[in-house]
Amino acid sequence: MTTPLDAIPAIVQRLRDGFAAGLVRDVPSRVVQLRQLERFLVECESDLLDALRADLGKPATEAYGTELGFTRSEIRHAIAHVQRWCEPRKVRVPMTLRPGSAVVRSEPLGTVLIIAPWNYPVQLTLAPLVAALAAGNTAVLKVSEVSSHTSELLATRLPAYLDAGVVAVVTGEVPATTALLNERFDHILFTGNGSVGKIVMRAAAEHLTPVTLELGGKSP
């Protein structure tokens, strides 16, 4: 299953429309999506473990602990704290600005792109998604073509659990990633090697899009 390249602009626009419509603007709507994400991990656990074994040879205990269990822990932590994270926080102002007052308000960015690697294809796809949803963003997930069994499962099963205007999964090789990088996002998260990280950063610069890069690449 490969996402048609000509479908990518419409996918991104659908998520931008979902953000504009406020589908995850308030905390209760974010919690709904997070609970649905955990439901996916619970109900598809056996299939996910099989896919991780097929792709990476991971034993079930390792796969659960480092991928599914880890991500479920992230979800539960986000659900427990998201209300507090969203509350305005009063901060001190300098003497020159008194008697004024100031607060810090955490606002969603918009639509984010998450480009995931092959080595932890569940954790490093869905844990960033947890953060994006908790912050009130919509998200495109670009799953790795290398971990094909896991990516296929995410692409075919995850959409049944999450709102189509909030999360989309894109599959494919380099052309699909390139097509996504041609679109405008409000934040891009990439995990991978430094060479590709430079490409991501150059593409993001065209739209002045902030990036989070987790770069490694030393392991075969």
XYZ file of all heavy atoms in Angstrom, residues 86-138:
393
model
N -2.187 22.907 29.769
C -2.907 23.909 28.982
C -3.323 25.136 29.787
O -3.801 26.117 29.212
C -4.154 23.280 28.355
S -3.784 22.040 27.109
N -3.177 25.070 31.089
C -3.622 26.192 31.911
C -2.660 27.377 31.788
O -1.438 27.186 31.763
C -3.724 25.753 33.375
C -4.853 24.756 33.615
C -4.840 24.189 35.019
O -3.888 24.518 35.781
O -5.755 23.422 35.347
N -3.191 28.597 31.698
C -2.321 29.781 31.662
C -1.448 29.845 32.917
O -1.878 29.470 34.011
C -3.315 30.947 31.623
C -4.588 30.351 31.113
C -4.616 28.944 31.616
N -0.219 30.304 32.738
C 0.736 30.358 33.850
C 1.189 31.800 34.051
O 1.721 32.427 33.142
C 1.930 29.455 33.537
C 3.019 29.457 34.582
C 4.006 28.322 34.318
N 4.504 28.337 32.951
C 5.583 29.031 32.558
N 6.245 29.770 33.431
N 5.982 28.983 31.301
N 0.931 32.325 35.245
C 1.336 33.695 35.550
C 2.850 33.769 35.702
O 3.479 32.867 36.266
C 0.653 34.174 36.833
C -0.861 34.282 36.725
C -1.473 34.860 37.982
C -1.145 36.326 38.115
N -1.880 36.970 39.253
N 3.435 34.829 35.172
C 4.875 35.039 35.291
C 5.140 36.448 35.804
O 4.321 37.361 35.630
C 5.594 34.823 33.939
C 5.498 33.368 33.512
C 5.015 35.731 32.858
N 6.284 36.616 36.428
C 6.661 37.930 36.949
C 7.009 38.873 35.799
O 7.500 38.440 34.752
C 7.856 37.794 37.889
C 7.548 37.011 39.161
C 8.821 36.760 39.949
N 9.442 38.002 40.381
C 9.168 38.621 41.526
N 8.269 38.103 42.350
N 9.782 39.740 41.857
N 6.747 40.124 35.999
C 7.121 41.137 35.009
C 8.163 42.065 35.632
O 8.197 42.248 36.858
C 5.894 41.949 34.537
C 4.904 41.055 33.830
C 5.223 42.665 35.705
N 9.037 42.651 34.818
C 10.045 43.563 35.371
C 9.403 44.825 35.944
O 8.273 45.186 35.588
C 10.929 43.876 34.166
C 10.084 43.594 32.978
C 9.176 42.474 33.370
N 10.131 45.484 36.799
C 9.624 46.682 37.465
C 9.153 47.732 36.462
O 8.166 48.438 36.691
C 10.727 47.269 38.359
C 10.289 48.461 39.189
S 9.064 48.015 40.442
C 10.102 47.064 41.558
N 9.845 47.812 35.319
C 9.504 48.841 34.334
C 8.143 48.621 33.689
O 7.597 49.539 33.074
C 10.572 48.881 33.230
O 10.742 47.561 32.701
C 11.895 49.390 33.779
N 7.596 47.403 33.791
C 6.299 47.115 33.181
C 5.163 47.066 34.198
O 4.016 46.836 33.836
C 6.357 45.787 32.416
C 7.303 45.753 31.216
C 7.261 44.386 30.551
C 6.951 46.848 30.209
N 5.466 47.247 35.468
C 4.417 47.249 36.479
C 3.680 48.580 36.469
O 4.264 49.603 36.107
C 5.033 46.967 37.860
C 5.621 45.562 37.946
C 6.264 45.289 39.282
N 6.896 43.963 39.275
C 7.617 43.492 40.273
N 7.795 44.230 41.359
N 8.152 42.294 40.192
N 2.368 48.575 36.765
C 1.571 47.520 37.393
C 0.985 46.505 36.412
O -0.021 45.858 36.715
C 0.464 48.304 38.083
C 0.228 49.456 37.149
C 1.585 49.818 36.608
N 1.576 46.355 35.255
C 1.092 45.353 34.314
C 1.303 43.939 34.839
O 2.042 43.714 35.795
N 0.645 42.995 34.204
C 0.796 41.585 34.565
C 0.986 40.778 33.287
O 0.746 41.276 32.179
C -0.431 41.081 35.330
O -1.599 41.206 34.531
N 1.424 39.534 33.432
C 1.687 38.708 32.254
C 1.364 37.254 32.554
O 1.511 36.788 33.690
C 3.153 38.831 31.833
N 0.896 36.558 31.522
C 0.664 35.120 31.621
C 1.244 34.452 30.380
O 1.353 35.072 29.317
C -0.841 34.762 31.735
C -1.435 35.303 33.019
C -1.606 35.264 30.521
N 1.629 33.193 30.526
C 2.079 32.378 29.403
C 0.950 31.424 29.042
O 0.452 30.684 29.901
C 3.350 31.582 29.755
C 3.724 30.643 28.611
C 4.496 32.527 30.061
N 0.532 31.457 27.787
C -0.514 30.563 27.305
C 0.085 29.614 26.272
O 0.743 30.061 25.331
C -1.667 31.347 26.674
C -2.355 32.309 27.622
C -3.530 33.014 26.953
N -4.100 34.037 27.807
C -5.011 33.795 28.745
N -5.451 32.564 28.924
N -5.482 34.781 29.499
N -0.143 28.334 26.441
C 0.355 27.329 25.495
C -0.665 27.156 24.377
O -1.807 26.765 24.630
C 0.584 25.995 26.211
O 1.553 26.141 27.227
N -0.257 27.461 23.155
C -1.153 27.402 22.006
C -0.687 26.325 21.024
O 0.518 26.145 20.818
C -1.184 28.753 21.283
C -1.748 29.897 22.111
C -3.250 29.802 22.299
O -3.893 29.063 21.521
O -3.777 30.463 23.213
N -1.619 25.608 20.391
C -1.232 24.634 19.359
C -0.556 25.327 18.182
O -0.834 26.497 17.894
C -2.570 24.012 18.933
C -3.542 24.371 20.009
C -3.074 25.658 20.599
N 0.313 24.588 17.501
C 1.008 25.141 16.342
C 0.174 25.040 15.077
O 0.167 25.937 14.247
C 2.337 24.418 16.136
C 3.416 24.687 17.185
C 4.610 23.780 16.944
C 3.840 26.143 17.155
N -0.506 23.903 14.890
C -1.270 23.701 13.656
C -1.178 22.266 13.192
O -1.548 21.340 13.910
N -0.646 22.072 11.996
C -0.492 20.733 11.421
C 0.986 20.379 11.382
O 1.791 21.137 10.841
C -1.093 20.675 10.007
O -2.491 20.967 10.085
C -0.905 19.294 9.386
N 1.332 19.238 11.960
C 2.730 18.842 12.057
C 2.989 17.603 11.204
O 2.080 16.806 10.944
C 3.156 18.578 13.515
C 2.865 19.786 14.387
C 2.451 17.354 14.082
N 4.225 17.472 10.777
C 4.676 16.304 10.013
C 5.640 15.513 10.881
O 6.616 16.065 11.394
C 5.368 16.742 8.725
C 6.094 15.650 7.917
C 5.124 14.574 7.443
C 6.842 16.275 6.737
N 5.371 14.223 11.036
C 6.241 13.326 11.797
C 6.825 12.306 10.828
O 6.090 11.493 10.253
C 5.458 12.621 12.922
C 4.908 13.653 13.918
C 6.340 11.587 13.629
C 3.894 13.091 14.896
N 8.134 12.369 10.617
C 8.825 11.435 9.722
C 9.548 10.421 10.599
O 10.500 10.761 11.305
C 9.813 12.164 8.799
C 9.105 13.283 8.023
C 10.461 11.180 7.830
C 10.046 14.138 7.184
N 9.077 9.182 10.557
C 9.545 8.166 11.497
C 10.593 7.254 10.860
O 10.590 7.035 9.645
C 8.362 7.335 11.989
N 11.475 6.681 11.675
C 12.494 5.751 11.182
C 11.990 4.313 11.217
O 10.873 4.036 11.657
C 13.635 5.953 12.176
C 12.910 6.189 13.473
C 11.651 6.958 13.112
N 12.868 3.402 10.798
C 12.490 1.995 10.709
C 12.799 1.200 11.969
O 12.218 0.145 12.202
C 13.235 1.327 9.540
C 14.738 1.438 9.650
C 15.522 2.420 9.115
C 15.626 0.558 10.352
N 16.842 2.210 9.440
C 16.940 1.069 10.198
C 15.453 -0.620 11.088
C 18.059 0.455 10.754
C 16.568 -1.226 11.654
C 17.856 -0.695 11.474
N 13.732 1.684 12.811
C 14.247 0.815 13.877
C 13.319 0.702 15.084
O 13.332 -0.309 15.780
C 15.649 1.257 14.306
C 15.700 2.701 14.752
O 14.838 3.512 14.402
N 16.714 3.047 15.518
N 12.533 1.740 15.346
C 11.479 1.674 16.367
C 10.210 2.214 15.716
O 9.757 3.322 16.020
C 11.859 2.481 17.614
C 12.925 1.819 18.449
C 14.276 2.067 18.211
C 12.581 0.925 19.464
C 15.256 1.450 18.964
C 13.563 0.300 20.224
C 14.895 0.566 19.972
O 15.862 -0.056 20.722
N 9.631 1.451 14.814
C 8.585 1.998 13.940
C 7.255 2.279 14.620
O 6.434 3.012 14.066
C 8.430 0.913 12.870
C 8.882 -0.346 13.533
C 9.977 0.061 14.470
N 7.026 1.715 15.802
C 5.817 2.064 16.558
C 6.123 3.227 17.495
O 5.477 4.274 17.448
C 5.277 0.856 17.347
C 4.114 1.280 18.244
C 4.820 -0.244 16.390
N 7.134 3.047 18.339
C 7.451 4.076 19.332
C 7.762 5.425 18.685
O 7.222 6.462 19.089
C 8.650 3.641 20.181
C 9.022 4.649 21.254
C 10.486 4.600 21.643
O 11.164 5.622 21.694
N 10.985 3.407 21.933
N 8.631 5.436 17.677
C 9.086 6.708 17.115
C 8.138 7.278 16.066
O 8.395 8.343 15.507
C 10.500 6.553 16.552
C 11.567 6.311 17.624
C 12.936 6.114 16.989
C 11.601 7.456 18.630
N 7.033 6.570 15.831
C 5.927 7.145 15.063
C 4.857 7.679 15.999
O 4.389 8.816 15.853
C 5.294 6.090 14.132
O 6.288 5.575 13.246
C 4.161 6.701 13.310
N 4.490 6.872 16.990
C 3.324 7.206 17.808
C 3.642 8.040 19.042
O 2.791 8.814 19.493
C 2.593 5.926 18.211
C 2.059 5.083 17.040
C 1.236 3.918 17.567
C 1.238 5.931 16.077
N 4.840 7.911 19.622
C 5.166 8.758 20.776
C 5.194 10.242 20.384
O 4.634 11.081 21.108
C 6.482 8.328 21.410
N 5.803 10.617 19.252
C 5.676 12.023 18.832
C 4.230 12.423 18.541
O 3.845 13.574 18.763
C 6.533 12.085 17.560
C 7.505 10.970 17.695
C 6.748 9.876 18.393
N 3.437 11.461 18.058
C 2.022 11.760 17.817
C 1.305 12.063 19.122
O 0.440 12.946 19.172
C 1.349 10.587 17.099
C -0.160 10.729 16.869
C -0.469 11.939 15.988
C -0.733 9.453 16.259
N 1.641 11.343 20.184
C 1.046 11.620 21.494
C 1.286 13.076 21.880
O 0.368 13.787 22.306
C 1.631 10.674 22.566
C 1.167 11.090 23.963
C 1.230 9.235 22.285
N 2.527 13.530 21.722
C 2.854 14.920 22.062
C 2.086 15.898 21.181
O 1.579 16.920 21.659
C 4.358 15.140 21.930
N 2.001 15.582 19.887
C 1.300 16.477 18.964
C -0.181 16.590 19.323
O -0.753 17.690 19.328
C 1.465 15.970 17.532
N -0.815 15.464 19.617
C -2.236 15.480 19.968
C -2.469 16.180 21.300
O -3.415 16.961 21.447
C -2.776 14.052 20.023
C -2.856 13.297 18.692
C -3.265 11.848 18.930
C -3.828 13.981 17.733
N -1.617 15.896 22.281
C -1.773 16.534 23.589
C -1.655 18.047 23.477
O -2.286 18.785 24.241
C -0.735 15.990 24.564
N -0.859 18.512 22.515
C -0.679 19.950 22.314
C -1.755 20.557 21.421
O -1.727 21.762 21.154
C 0.700 20.220 21.718
N -2.683 19.735 20.922
C -3.792 20.263 20.139
C -3.522 20.414 18.662
O -4.187 21.201 17.979
N -2.566 19.647 18.136
C -2.224 19.728 16.719
C -2.827 18.569 15.933
O -3.134 17.513 16.490
C -0.701 19.679 16.547
C -0.008 20.804 17.275
O -0.175 21.971 16.945
N 0.767 20.463 18.291
N -2.958 18.756 14.635
C -3.227 17.646 13.736
C -1.890 17.172 13.170
O -0.895 17.899 13.220
C -4.189 18.054 12.609
O -3.609 19.135 11.852
C -5.527 18.507 13.178
